[in-house]
């Protein structure tokens, strides 16, 4: 696609993760299946731990709130009636987690359990965060040129730090100046980008946001940030209008930094 010059006023590069630094397939084919395949084993292994019991209480509370939904999976109270009842309870939790994931729910209860499971998986080497090969060399180059580099993802800050802390390139957390998740606001709302600019102490016009999602790019642009849409293998296709409207890159190496930076 050729080189894309970075505007001279840009001082910070804000990165999405899924489809931008990391293949969508890593999330869809590695992270989520890991939860589905090992949640029963995880609950059994960690059942006596307080953190696991907190997760169970949160899932039960969510199940109560969901009780009127179609196909909702109830979670019984723990009566401590023996091994058989415990197995039934764990199976109900597994069924509930699978049901929520099938509906792509974003409940705090589900996200908290997933976060704890992924933390254990990264720490034991069962999972490594996958990155496109151009990512680390480009970020190093940007930083050498004086750029600040931040992450903004719908995944929690903890999940972000796990992915980059236990990546295929090793621990690369030192390459980032900060992390943002949707606690600062939805990625499709322009106000979120204004809050991020305020948080890092610059104007929105000093930020270049890289994402694979045009709706996010539009929100950032509305806040007067600079944007480029990243086209990676496996990403959703763009319409002809989107292709002609947005600056597109297929690799971070296509960004050209002005010598004044």
């Amino acid at each position: 696609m050729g080189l894309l010059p970075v505007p001279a006023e840009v001082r910070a590069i804000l990165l999405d993760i899924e489809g931008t630094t990391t293949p969508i397939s890593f999330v869809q084919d590695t992270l989520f299946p890991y939860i589905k395949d090992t949640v029963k084993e995880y609950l059994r292994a960690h059942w006596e731990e307080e953190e696991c019991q907190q997760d169970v209480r949160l899932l039960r509370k969510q199940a109560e709130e969901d009780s009127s939904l179609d196909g909702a999976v109830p979670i019984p109270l723990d009566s401590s009636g023996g091994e058989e009842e415990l197995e039934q309870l764990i199976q109900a939790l597994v069924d509930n987690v699978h049901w929520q994931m099938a509906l792509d729910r974003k409940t705090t209860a589900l996200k908290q359990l997933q976060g704890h499971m992924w933390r254990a998986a990264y720490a034991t080497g069962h999972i490594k965060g996958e990155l496109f090969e151009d990512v680390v060399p480009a970020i190093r180059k940007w930083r050498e040129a004086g750029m600040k580099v931040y992450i903004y993802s719908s995944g929690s800050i903890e999940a972000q730090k796990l992915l980059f802390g236990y990546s295929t390139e090793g621990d690369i957390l030192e390459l980032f100046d900060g992390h943002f998740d949707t606690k600062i606001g939805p990625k499709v709302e322009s106000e979120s980008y204004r809050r991020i600019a305020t948080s890092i102490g610059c104007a929105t016009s000093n930020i270049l946001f890289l994402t694979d999602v045009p709706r996010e790019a539009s929100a950032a642009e509305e806040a007067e940030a600079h944007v480029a849409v990243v086209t990676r293998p496996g990403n959703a296709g763009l319409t002809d209008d989107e292709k002609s409207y947005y600056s597109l890159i297929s690799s971070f190496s296509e960004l050209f930094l002005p010598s004044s930076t």
Side-chain angles (χ1 to χ4, degrees), residues 21-170:
T21 67
T22 299
I24 286 177
S25 60
F26 172 69
V27 177
Q28 301 299 334
D29 301 340
T30 299
L31 287 185
F32 288 147
Y34 178 83
I35 301 295
K36 290 177 184 173
D37 295 344
T38 65
V39 61
K40 181 181 283 189
E41 176 189 332
Y42 177 87
L43 289 169
R44 281 176 177 157
H46 298 273
W47 189 258
E48 301 297 331
E49 298 169 18
E50 177 55 27
E51 182 177 83
C52 183
Q53 286 303 307
Q54 288 176 0
D55 293 342
V56 169
R57 286 193 290 271
L58 213 53
L59 284 165
R60 185 180 285 117
K61 182 169 180 284
Q62 184 64 51
E64 289 168 3
E65 292 174 12
D66 293 340
S67 60
S68 62
L69 296 181
D70 227 17
V73 179
I75 299 173
L77 291 171
D78 183 4
S79 62
S80 302
E83 194 64 32
E84 190 175 333
E85 280 194 25
L86 177 59
E87 277 302 305
Q88 290 174 351
L89 172 55
I90 288 176
Q91 187 59 53
L93 287 158
V94 171
D95 292 344
N96 181 276
V97 166
H98 286 180
W99 173 72
Q100 289 201 60
M101 291 182 71
L103 295 178
D104 198 24
R105 304 282 303 280
K106 307 291 186 188
T107 64
T108 299
L110 179 62
K111 287 175 76 172
Q112 179 170 299
L113 174 67
Q114 288 173 330
H116 292 154
M117 289 183 65
W118 286 326
R119 183 181 65 199
Y122 280 114
T124 54
H126 285 98
I127 291 177
K128 284 187 182 295
E130 194 175 332
L131 305 171
F132 290 109
E133 62 181 17
D134 55 275
V135 170
V136 171
I139 294 175
R140 291 193 192 283
K141 191 174 176 182
W142 300 339
R143 290 180 64 85
E144 285 166 11
M147 286 286 176
K148 300 285 190 182
V149 182
Y150 298 88
I151 295 292
Y152 181 28
S153 172
S154 55
S156 70
I157 288 174
E158 181 185 17
Q160 296 173 29
K161 289 183 175 180
L162 287 170
L163 192 155
F164 293 115
Y166 296 93
S167 84
T168 49
E169 302 292 323

Side-chain angles (χ1 to χ4, degrees), residues 152 185-194 204 209 211 213-227 245-246:
Y152 181 28
K187 295 176 75 182
V188 293
E189 291 184 7
S190 58
E191 188 57 35
S192 304
Y193 299 89
R194 296 187 187 100
T204 50
F209 178 47
T211 178
V213 181
R215 283 184 68 208
E216 296 174 3
S218 176
E221 191 178 62
E222 191 180 319
E224 300 184 341
H226 298 277
V227 300
Y245 180 78
Y246 290 108

